[in-house]
Amino acid sequence: MTDGYVEVGITDRVTGARSLLRRLRADPGAVFGAVTIAVFVLAAILAPLITMISGHDPYTYDLDALDATGAPAGFGGGISGRHWFGVEPLTGRDLFAIVVHGSRTSLVVGIAATVVSVVIGVVVGLLAGYFGGWTDRILGRTADVVFGFPGLVFMIALGAIVPAWLPKPVLIIVVIGFFGWPGIARVVRSQTLVLKDRNFVIASQIAGGGTAHVLFRQLLPNLAATVIVFATISIPGKIGTEAALSFLGVGVPPPTPAWGRSIGEAIGWVGTDPMFLIFPGAALFLITLAFNLFGDGLRDALDPRTAVSARAGIGR
C-alpha cells in the first residue's frame, strides 16, 4: 500500500509539473519575466567575467572621462566604445560595470531577505493555524505588531547606529526579512486552518503521526505551491526596500555597487547627465517588473480552478 501510494504520488507530481510548465509557457508575461530574471541572475553570477570583457570594473576611477566640472565628457553621459553606459560623475567609474555588479547586491539581498521572511512566516503560520487557541492569539497579535511597525524608519535608524564592524549586507537582509514575515504567516495560517481538517491529516493523526510529522510531512508539502508563489511576488518588494535604503544612504556601504545609491546620487545630475539615472533605474524597474509578471503567471498557473491546485488539495 505504501509503495503504491508513493508511486502514484510521484506520477501525479511529474504530470502536474509538466502541466504547470505548459501553462507558464502559454503566458507571455510569465515567459518574459522568467527570461528577464534568468538574464539578471546570469549577469550577477558572471559579473566579474562580463565586466572583464568590457574592460572595466566598478571601482576604478577614470578622471580622464570627465570634463572640468566633474560631469562625464562626451555624448550621453560619456557613452562610448570604452564606456558602454557612460561613466559616473565626479569619479569616472564605468556605469555599465556598476549596473552589472549592482545586480548582485539587489538579487542577493532581495532573495535572501525573502528566504528569512518565508522561513519565519511559514513556521509561525503553521503553528498558529494548527494549534489554534492561545497559540494562535499570541502569534496573531505578534504578527499585527510587526505588521504595523514602521519598519523602514527602524531600518534607517538602525543602519545609522550599528557599529562599522558589523557586515551591513547581513544586517539589511536580517532586518528586511524580519519585517516581511507577517504577510506569509497570515496566508499560511489560513491555509492550515483548511487543511488540518482534511482526511489525510486526520488519518495521519489516527495512525500515530506526531505533531512534527503532521506539520512538516503532511501540511507543509500541500502549502508549497502557495508559499512559492507568495515568495516570488515578495522578492520585488525586498529589492525595492534595499534600493530605498541605499537611496537614503543607509544601505550597503560604498564603494559596493548598488542601484538605489546610484539612483540617489543621480538625482543631482539629471539636468546634465540623465543617463546616470536612466540605466540603474531601468535595471531596477526591469527586475521588479520581471518578478511581478512571473509571480502573477505562477499564481495563475496554480489557480485552484486548474487541475494542478485541485490535485494538491489546496483550498482558497
Side-chain angles (χ1 to χ4, degrees), residues 6-16:
V6 172
E7 186 168 328
V8 170
I10 293 174
T11 302
D12 284 349
R13 290 184 181 183
V14 172
T15 302

Side-chain angles (χ1 to χ4, degrees), residues 280-308:
L284 180 61
F285 169 76
L286 280 175
I287 193 62
T288 302
L289 177 65
F291 272 110
N292 279 319
L293 289 176
F294 182 70
D296 287 343
L298 191 60
R299 180 188 58 201
D300 293 341
L302 292 170
D303 190 271
R305 289 169 294 185
T306 67
V308 177

Side-chain angles (χ1 to χ4, degrees), residues 67-293:
D67 61 21
T69 66
F75 168 78
I79 294 177
S80 65
R82 292 184 62 241
H83 299 288
W84 300 344
F85 284 4
V87 297
E88 182 182 63
L90 299 180
T91 66
R93 294 191 301 167
D94 186 72
L95 189 55
F96 174 77
I98 290 174
V99 171
V100 171
H101 279 263
S103 64
R104 284 186 158 188
T105 302
S106 293
L107 288 174
V108 169
V109 172
I111 293 174
T114 299
V115 170
V116 173
S117 295
V118 167
V119 170
I120 298 174
V122 167
V123 171
V124 171
L126 275 173
L127 295 177
Y130 183 73
F131 289 108
W134 282 107
T135 302
D136 188 18
R137 294 189 187 95
I138 293 172
L139 294 177
R141 297 296 81 75
T142 302
D144 290 340
V145 170
V146 175
F147 193 80
F149 196 83
L152 185 59
V153 175
F154 178 80
M155 294 177 206
I156 294 172
L158 188 63
I161 64 174
V162 293
W165 55 264
L166 186 66
K168 189 64 88 55
V170 175
L171 175 67
I172 292 173
I173 289 170
V174 172
V175 174
I176 293 177
F178 175 77
F179 282 102
W181 65 264
I184 182 64
R186 290 178 174 180
V187 173
V188 170
R189 173 188 174 275
S190 65
Q191 296 290 339
T192 302
L193 288 173
V194 174
L195 289 172
K196 73 176 185 178
D197 294 326
R198 295 289 177 87
N199 290 335
F200 68 92
V201 175
I202 297 173
S204 179
Q205 294 169 332
I206 293 175
T211 300
H213 174 82
V214 173
L215 288 175
F216 299 107
R217 298 295 299 275
Q218 301 296 328
L219 294 175
L220 188 57
N222 286 279
L223 292 168
T226 300
V227 171
I228 290 171
V229 171
F230 193 94
T232 304
I233 297 176
S234 297
I235 291 175
K238 305 294 190 297
I239 292 175
T241 301
E242 182 279 324
L245 292 174
S246 295
F247 178 89
L248 295 171
V250 292
V252 292
T256 303
W259 293 339
R261 186 171 60 253
S262 294
I263 293 171
E265 294 172 352
I267 298 299
W269 293 89
V270 171
T272 56
D273 182 15
M275 295 302 172
F276 187 27
L277 175 63
I278 289 175
F279 286 116
L284 180 61
F285 169 76
L286 280 175
I287 193 62
T288 302
L289 177 65
F291 272 110
N292 279 319
L293 289 176

